[in-house]
Amino acid sequence: MKTLLRFAAIFLALICLFFLAPFSLQAQWEQVGKPNRYIGVPFKAGGKIFVTANGSLFRSDDNGLSWVRVISTQLPQTALITECYGNGNSLYCIFRSNSDKNLLIYRSLNLGQSWQAVQVNYSQAAKAIAAYPGGLIIAREYQTQRLRDSEQVATLVSISPCCNPVLVVAGDTIWMGSTKGLRRTTNEGISWDTMYTNVSVTDLAASGKYVLMGASSKLYRSEDAGKTWTIIDQNWLYKNILNSGSLFFQIINQTGKVIISEDALLTSSTFFDTTYTTV
């Protein structure tokens, strides 16, 4: 429980830091209001901050100072939201079944004012999902599906290498890592370029020309959109990376430390540092 609450505090702090503008590397932490339990990764859409918590979707219009729960009779009333994604004015919220194969997805094209169900069915479980400009990309063990904002049914667009895919979106580029390496697409998943092989990718973060890749217990960095790579951490265990726009975050799980960088860890600052006890 202490571990869960500690991570809730970390991600709540990240909510503030992700979207405060103007950004300052000397900013001070400030605790803000709810949501405060089981917090997902926050995202920004239409100038607002959204985050899932307690099985619901919350919205902040003032950089995290206050929050409102997104409520609609058009959403399922007896199921809990497991995750949400956003890009532009589009929101996608996921209600997963036990099998995880047929996703129940609701889409809003007006930042949550109205919702409609969309159809995403297939024989394999969805392993990774990401919003890109214009739609949603869904990676399964061997297939990739695309759901455009203008479509009601997801389309199978390509065959994926097995296994355990992870996704990150940077502008019009979608990056996918797996146990077979790293690939990228600039045409909504129809075709993919192989960027790195013979590594098992577990974490990805990308913005512009910078890409961070956690793979095979090492952390790699590219400063030229994946053309060349440098190992920057030879012992990359019990850590995670993520990014929001141009801001990169590294979370060191053993201590709860959060490191922030604007240039993919070429330079960085520690923004959250604590210790906790696992119980």
Side-chain angles (χ1 to χ4, degrees):
M1 178 59 69
K2 290 182 179 179
T3 302
L4 179 61
L5 293 176
R6 181 63 64 190
F7 277 109
I10 290 174
F11 279 110
L12 187 58
L14 287 178
I15 291 170
C16 303
L17 189 57
F18 273 21
F19 304 106
L20 286 178
F23 175 76
S24 169
L25 287 178
Q26 303 301 319
Q28 299 296 312
W29 289 109
E30 180 181 358
Q31 185 173 358
V32 296
K34 293 182 178 181
N36 59 8
R37 294 181 63 206
Y38 311 111
I39 297 174
V41 177
F43 60 91
K44 197 169 187 179
K48 305 175 187 297
I49 305 173
F50 293 87
V51 68
T52 56
N54 308 328
S56 299
L57 178 65
F58 290 82
R59 185 192 75 236
S60 175
D61 301 329
D62 53 12
N63 285 325
L65 295 177
S66 61
W67 295 86
V68 294
R69 183 182 176 189
V70 178
I71 300 175
S72 173
T73 57
Q74 296 171 323
L75 292 173
Q77 302 300 302
T78 59
L80 298 179
I81 296 173
T82 58
E83 66 231 70
C84 290
Y85 305 88
N87 206 314
N89 290 324
S90 300
L91 302 176
Y92 289 85
C93 285
I94 316 297
F95 301 79
R96 291 179 183 261
S97 65
N98 291 334
S99 67
D100 216 22
K101 294 178 180 178
N102 297 331
L103 301 179
L104 183 60
I105 299 182
Y106 278 73
R107 175 177 59 205
S108 173
L109 300 179
N110 51 19
L111 297 174
Q113 296 181 47
S114 61
W115 296 83
Q116 62 178 178
V118 292
Q119 186 175 352
V120 181
N121 298 324
Y122 214 70
S123 59
Q124 297 178 352
K127 296 297 184 179
I129 303 173
Y132 69 93
L136 201 68
I137 196 84
I138 303 166
R140 303 175 187 272
E141 291 289 28
Y142 292 98
Q143 294 92 9
T144 303
Q145 290 178 290
R146 178 200 66 214
L147 178 63
R148 288 175 174 162
D149 288 346
S150 58
E151 298 173 337
Q152 282 296 111
V153 181
T155 301
L156 178 65
V157 291
S158 61
I159 304 300
S160 306
C162 189
C163 296
N164 299 325
V166 293
L167 292 169
V168 69
V169 176
D172 294 327
T173 300
I174 302 171
W175 296 84
M176 179 191 293
S178 71
T179 56
K180 302 297 184 180
L182 179 66
R183 303 187 304 158
R184 72 178 182 187
T185 179
T186 56
N187 57 10
E188 301 178 294
I190 296 174
S191 62
W192 296 81
D193 299 317
T194 299
M195 307 306 296
Y196 211 103
T197 59
N198 300 320
V199 292
S200 181
V201 181
T202 55
D203 284 84
L204 279 175
S207 176
K209 66 179 182 179
Y210 294 117
V211 186
L212 289 177
M213 174 177 68
S216 302
S217 301
K218 297 179 177 64
L219 182 60
Y220 298 76
R221 177 176 58 224
S222 175
E223 300 174 47
D224 51 16
K227 295 178 181 178
T228 60
W229 295 86
T230 302
I231 298 175
I232 60 174
D233 192 337
Q234 293 278 359
N235 186 29
W236 200 72
L237 296 173
Y238 310 111
K239 303 172 186 177
N240 295 102
I241 52 171
L242 54 92
N243 72 291
S244 175
S246 62
L247 301 182
F248 291 81
F249 300 87
Q250 180 172 222
I251 301 172
I252 302 175
N253 296 323
Q254 289 175 313
T255 63
K257 179 186 292 186
V258 177
I259 296 173
I260 185 170
S261 173
E262 294 183 282
D263 51 17
L265 300 180
L266 284 168
T267 59
S268 61
S269 298
T270 298
F271 258 68
F272 195 97
D273 193 359
T274 187
T275 58
Y276 57 83
T277 303
T278 301
V279 294

